């Protein structure tokens, strides 16, 4: 099996947010942990900047212009949570470009293409709305990657699974009325940004293709793993995507300062192994895209555990996962809404 591919770029360090929890130390911690393990033997590449057209495929062109102009003028606060500096626009172009390059590497058509990869950058992306930066996010990197897979790499359907503890309102909004991207999110509720109730199932032709799985504060490995094993993975198999992308945030970790869930390092590894098994069963590639995660130790350990689990391919042991009552309720809801029986 070809080595998995990992995209990163030094511009991630030049997005200066001051004393904000989403700061360059996150990337430094991740890269130090990976470097200590020889980058797990992955094929490490520098991300290109995303072509403007790729970003404009999911964002208003004026949004891109506004971010660029604001950064050029020296930056500042876009809102209470979202701060940019002169280097932020470049960082954001490469964060989106990492996802485009990841999709190209995974779906480029060559016989020795890797089946697993990762795009590790900041700023994160999943809160960025079509025409509005918010929640530390400027462009929705994973959405740019998914759209590129559909437009340029022959994908007919893409699954985006978001396990960041916050609801990915940006990705949710971008693909809300579409059935060619199935967006599935586990997130703590109530919590910022307040979106993503179970009743939000998409709209128009996209009805049923947005699957929100809110969980209460205090949810740990059992709740998250049960949702992955008994809801997300069966949905993925029923949907038959040509690509699976993971919005991998690590702020559902027990040590994270911004939320109140209790997922452990090994819980993330087990969720990753389940999604890797799912991709293998479908015979499609799996891409990991970094979102949040604000405790540097938890972030770097859990990310390394994720990459080890997906890099181990089909050899990764799969956890035995019981059906949690919350996952059972989600199954019943989805079955009632027309998805094939998920049990
Ligand atoms: Zn988050």
């Amino acid at each position: 099996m070809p080595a998995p591919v990992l995209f990163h770029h030094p511009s991630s360090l030049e997005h200066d947010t001051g004393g904000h929890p989403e700061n360059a130390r996150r990337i430094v911690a991740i890269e130090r942990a990976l470097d200590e393990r020889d980058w797990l033997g992955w094929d490490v590449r520098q991300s290109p900047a995303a072509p403007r057209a790729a970003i404009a495929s999911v964002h208003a062109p004026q949004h891109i212009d506004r971010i660029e102009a604001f950064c050029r003028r020296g930056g500042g606060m876009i809102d209470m949570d979202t701060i940019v500096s002169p280097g932020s626009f470049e960082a954001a172009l490469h964060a989106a470009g990492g996802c485009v390059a990841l999709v190209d590497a995974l779906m480029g058509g060559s016989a020795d293409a890797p089946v697993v990869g990762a795009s590790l950058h900041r700023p994160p992306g999943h809160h960025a709305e079509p025409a509005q930066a918010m929640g530390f996010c400027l462009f929705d990197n994973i959405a740019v990657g998914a759209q590129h897979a559909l437009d340029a790499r022959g994908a007919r359907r893409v699954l985006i699974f978001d396990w960041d503890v916050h609801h990915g309102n940006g990705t949710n909004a971008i693909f809300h009325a579409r059935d060619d991207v199935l967006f599935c999110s586990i997130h703590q509720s109530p919590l910022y940004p307040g979106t993503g109730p179970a009743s939000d199932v998409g709209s128009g032709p996209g009805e049923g293709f947005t699957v929100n799985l809110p969980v209460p504060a205090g949810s740990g490995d059992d709740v998250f793993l049960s949702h992955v094993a008994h809801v997300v993975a069966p949905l993925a198999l029923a949907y038959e995507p040509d690509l699976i992308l993971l919005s991998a945030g690590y702020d559902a970790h027990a040590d994270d300062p911004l939320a109140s869930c209790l997922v452990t390092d090994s819980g993330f590894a087990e969720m990753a192994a389940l999604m890797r098994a799912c991709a293998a069963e479908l015979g499609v590639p799996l891409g990991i895209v970094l979102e949040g995660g604000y405790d540097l130790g938890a972030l770097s350990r859990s990310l390394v555990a994720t990459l080890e689990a997906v890099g181990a391919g089909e050899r990764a042991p799969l956890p035995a996962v019981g059906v949690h009552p919350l996952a059972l309720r989600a199954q019943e809801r989805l079955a009632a809404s027309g998805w094939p029986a998920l049990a």
Side-chain angles (χ1 to χ4, degrees), residues 112-337:
D112 60 347
V115 295
V116 167
S119 180
L120 308 179
H121 302 76
R122 53 184 291 277
H126 72 154
H127 293 306
E129 296 266 351
Q132 182 64 49
M134 64 178 272
F136 321 164
C137 300
L138 304 181
F139 305 136
D140 193 332
N141 308 315
I142 201 166
V144 171
Q147 189 63 48
H148 180 70
L150 296 164
D151 291 344
R153 290 297 170 191
R156 294 155 304 164
R157 289 180 295 280
V158 177
L159 167 67
I160 299 178
F161 168 38
D162 185 328
W163 74 39
D164 187 282
V165 79
H166 302 98
H167 179 239
N169 59 288
T171 316
N172 192 106
I174 287 166
F175 299 116
H176 202 251
R178 303 251 305 262
D179 61 6
D180 54 355
V181 175
L182 172 58
F183 175 63
C184 194
S185 173
I186 306 177
H187 46 274
Q188 182 183 323
S189 177
L191 187 68
Y192 180 90
T195 49
S199 59
D200 180 2
V201 297
S203 54
E207 193 175 328
F209 296 91
T210 294
V211 175
N212 282 304
L213 303 166
V215 299
S219 295
D221 291 352
D222 57 340
V223 176
F224 276 75
L225 275 166
S226 183
H227 277 96
V228 176
H230 300 293
V231 182
V232 181
L235 267 177
L237 296 178
Y239 185 60
E240 296 184 345
D242 299 301
L243 170 68
I244 297 177
L245 294 174
L246 273 182
S247 260
Y250 293 90
D251 39 13
H253 195 285
D255 294 345
D256 195 90
L258 297 195
S260 312
C261 283
L262 301 171
V263 177
T264 66
D265 302 356
S266 59
F268 284 110
E270 290 178 348
M271 287 199 286
L274 287 167
M275 292 313 294
R276 173 68 187 99
C278 205
E281 185 157 342
L282 289 162
V284 302
L286 172 66
I288 312 287
V289 179
L290 179 65
E291 300 284 358
Y294 306 99
D295 178 84
L296 298 182
L299 168 66
S300 50
R301 289 192 315 270
S302 300
L303 175 75
V304 169
T306 297
L307 299 191
E308 282 175 337
V310 296
E314 289 156 66
R315 286 171 290 128
L318 288 183
V321 183
V323 187
H324 191 278
L326 283 173
L328 189 62
R329 225 178 299 156
Q331 280 184 340
E332 288 165 358
R333 230 173 26 238
L334 287 163
S337 76

Side-chain angles (χ1 to χ4, degrees), residues 39-110:
W39 296 79
L40 311 174
W42 287 37
D43 175 3
V44 179
R45 303 185 200 170
Q46 297 247 321
S47 313
R52 219 177 173 87
I55 301 175
S57 70
V58 298
H59 287 289
Q62 306 89 305
H63 169 64
I64 307 171
D65 295 340
R66 274 199 304 270
I67 298 287
E68 180 174 23
F70 193 65
C71 293
R72 295 247 186 280
R73 286 199 304 270
M77 289 174 81
I78 292 178
D79 63 31
M80 290 292 286
D81 302 301
T82 314
I83 298 163
V84 298
S85 68
S88 300
F89 184 64
E90 202 63 24
L93 290 181
H94 285 273
C99 287
V100 171
L102 174 61
V103 166
D104 284 339
L106 296 175
M107 304 193 79
S110 74

